[in-house]
Amino acid sequence: MDTRGRPGTGEDLSRVIAFLCSEESDFITGSIIPVTGGKDVLGKVFHQEGL
């Protein structure tokens, strides 16, 4: 489940893959792009605030 309460789909992942294969992503190098629906950011916020 993502932060909006819905599970991620194969289409969600395929959109990221299509973007990374396109010329629009030509300035992105050596990066890890999590496709988590915001869960990774939410966890960091909670961890930093001690929640």
Side-chain angles (χ1 to χ4, degrees), residues 10-30:
E11 186 175 339
D12 294 322
L13 183 58
S14 68
R15 282 190 228 130
V16 175
I17 293 168
F19 168 72
L20 292 172
C21 292
S22 74
E23 289 185 20
E24 294 175 351
S25 69
D26 65 348
F27 203 67
I28 297 175
T29 59

Side-chain angles (χ1 to χ4, degrees), residues 2-3 38-51:
D2 69 3
T3 57
K39 280 186 158 184
D40 60 318
V41 174
L42 188 60
K44 290 176 186 175
V45 171
F46 283 144
H47 180 68
Q48 288 173 356
E49 293 178 3
L51 298 175

